[in-house]
Amino acid sequence: MPKLEVEAKSFKLREAFTISRGSRTEATVVEVRLIEGDHVGRGECVPYARYNETVESVTAQIEGYRGRVESGTLDRQGLQGVMKAGAARNALDLAFWDLEAKRAGCRVWELKDYLVLGGKAPGPVVSCYTLSIDTPEAMKRAAAANAARPILKVKLGAGEDDMQRVAAVREGAPDARVVIDANEGWQIFEYGERVLTLKEMGVEMIEQPVPQRFEDPFGAITRPVPICADESCHTRATLNRLVGRYDMVNIKLDKTGGLTEALQLRTEAERQGMGVMVGCMMSSSLAVAPAVLLSTGVQLADLDPPMLLAEDRDPALAVEGSTVQPPTPELWG
């Protein structure tokens, strides 16, 4: 039977990371380890205040299932019915996947359950590179410094200078593809006033421009630039209300509560004709690794924490430019 270990860790960022809800200078994560003989399965999650999570609350949720995990009466499949979707379930789910692969002596993407759920063998993934909110002048400099990257994701939602920020990024990196993310920072009228100009600027996608409680009008208006649901999309249970209001969904393991649900959400979103983006919270390579698997064949991937960290796991994900390689077995899976 596996022994459960839970530990909080922090990883410093190269520079402050700022979105509409605030700034951070480090990634704070919770790591789960399932130890069974010589095999260790690991999973990492990021407690997120937007969803009323803290390191303490997530750790307590995981600890609450210690007895059942260590007695062998709760496995990965059982987790789906007893734990709510969120960071705590994600860490346990991923640790179980990693342990299953190590027990079987294969990679996660070779496991029968993974294939049954629609998983595919991973390959290199081209990721967005995120530019934090700053003054237009500073964002232009950041864009110019990263102009060779194929896709820039521009954080917005900090007031009336947002359009100047996009214009500045466009000037700094005229050849890069650009998507934007307001992190619920706009009002619906601001979307209406800005969308045609954004289209003219070559913006390819707008991620979660308004809070969920204000998104209903999206179902009754044309959307010249595709809109992607992030904070509004968690599991398959949230998908039906998004169809017709959004064009894409951003799937994050900390929202779905693990790879098990994420694979099924991706399959169902694609079945309903929605585009898929795979994202992640600010974390180490251990949390990003399973998201690389999920990103095979999707429209967009936003897996840039290994590019933004000053310190990471050893070994970490291999990154060349903006291309993230699948994880080695020493890291995960």
Side-chain angles (χ1 to χ4, degrees):
M1 302 302 173
K3 176 186 176 183
L4 172 66
E5 294 183 349
V6 188
E7 182 181 7
K9 295 185 175 183
S10 293
F11 299 86
K12 293 180 181 178
L13 305 183
R14 295 184 186 278
E15 56 188 39
F17 183 79
T18 305
I19 67 172
S20 62
R21 282 190 287 270
S23 298
R24 67 185 66 188
T25 57
E26 62 183 16
T28 302
V29 308
V30 174
E31 179 183 343
V32 164
R33 294 181 292 274
L34 296 177
I35 304 169
E36 189 174 88
D38 294 333
H39 303 312
V40 180
R42 298 193 301 164
E44 179 182 297
C45 69
V46 180
Y48 202 52
R50 168 64 175 78
Y51 307 125
N52 300 313
E53 296 173 335
T54 65
V55 168
E56 293 75 19
S57 70
V58 166
T59 300
Q61 287 179 59
I62 296 168
E63 289 287 358
Y65 291 92
R66 175 180 292 277
R68 295 180 64 179
V69 170
E70 294 189 337
S71 68
T73 59
L74 184 64
D75 59 10
R76 179 178 54 79
Q77 290 86 350
L79 281 180
Q80 315 307 314
V82 300
M83 290 186 77
K84 67 179 182 179
R89 192 177 80 184
N90 179 35
L92 273 170
D93 180 88
L94 296 178
F96 271 119
W97 276 111
D98 193 25
L99 183 60
E100 288 170 36
K102 288 180 167 58
R103 284 171 177 162
C106 67
R107 303 310 307 272
V108 161
W109 54 86
E110 297 172 319
L111 292 170
K112 180 180 178 181
D113 276 5
Y114 179 81
L115 297 171
V116 167
L117 292 174
K120 304 169 186 176
V125 174
V126 176
S127 172
C128 299
Y129 182 85
T130 304
L131 302 181
S132 293
I133 295 176
D134 209 323
T135 64
E137 295 77 13
M139 293 184 76
K140 179 181 176 180
R141 290 193 297 271
N146 292 281
R149 296 184 184 274
I151 311 172
L152 297 179
K153 179 176 174 177
V154 182
K155 289 289 188 178
L156 300 175
E160 60 186 17
D161 288 342
D162 274 353
M163 296 302 285
Q164 288 86 348
R165 292 183 173 99
V166 179
V169 168
R170 262 282 162 241
E171 188 175 348
D175 297 325
R177 297 171 59 194
V178 172
V179 298
I180 63 176
D181 182 6
N183 285 112
E184 303 181 286
W186 290 358
Q187 301 294 322
I188 192 72
F189 75 88
E190 291 177 305
Y191 165 83
E193 290 175 349
R194 296 168 177 176
V195 64
L196 290 179
T197 302
L198 292 169
K199 182 177 178 63
E200 292 173 0
M201 290 179 176
V203 171
E204 297 184 13
M205 183 272 285
I206 303 172
E207 186 177 349
Q208 197 73 41
V210 304
Q212 179 179 335
R213 65 186 182 276
F214 298 140
E215 68 192 6
D216 285 352
F218 286 148
I221 62 177
T222 59
R223 300 184 294 273
V225 178
I227 304 176
C228 181
D230 179 7
E231 286 87 349
S232 293
C233 180
H234 291 254
T235 66
R236 285 170 291 166
T238 63
L239 193 58
N240 283 341
R241 75 174 310 278
L242 304 179
V243 175
R245 293 182 173 90
Y246 290 90
D247 307 287
M248 301 180 67
V249 292
N250 186 348
I251 302 176
K252 294 178 179 175
L253 298 173
D254 278 312
K255 294 187 300 174
T256 64
L259 184 61
T260 304
E261 172 63 23
L263 288 166
Q264 296 173 90
L265 173 57
R266 185 186 70 181
T267 297
E268 181 61 18
E270 291 173 343
R271 187 189 71 80
Q272 297 207 38
M274 301 192 78
V276 173
M277 177 181 189
V278 174
C280 59
M281 306 302 186
M282 186 58 69
S283 61
S284 84
S285 281
L286 180 57
V288 179
V292 175
L293 276 61
L294 188 65
S295 299
T296 302
V298 304
Q299 282 75 22
L300 281 171
D302 183 19
L303 307 178
D304 59 359
M307 309 172 205
L308 303 174
L309 293 172
E311 52 188 15
D312 200 351
R313 300 281 180 172
D314 184 17
L317 286 167
V319 180
E320 298 177 6
S322 292
T323 299
V324 184
Q325 299 293 331
T328 63
E330 293 78 19
L331 175 61
W332 186 85

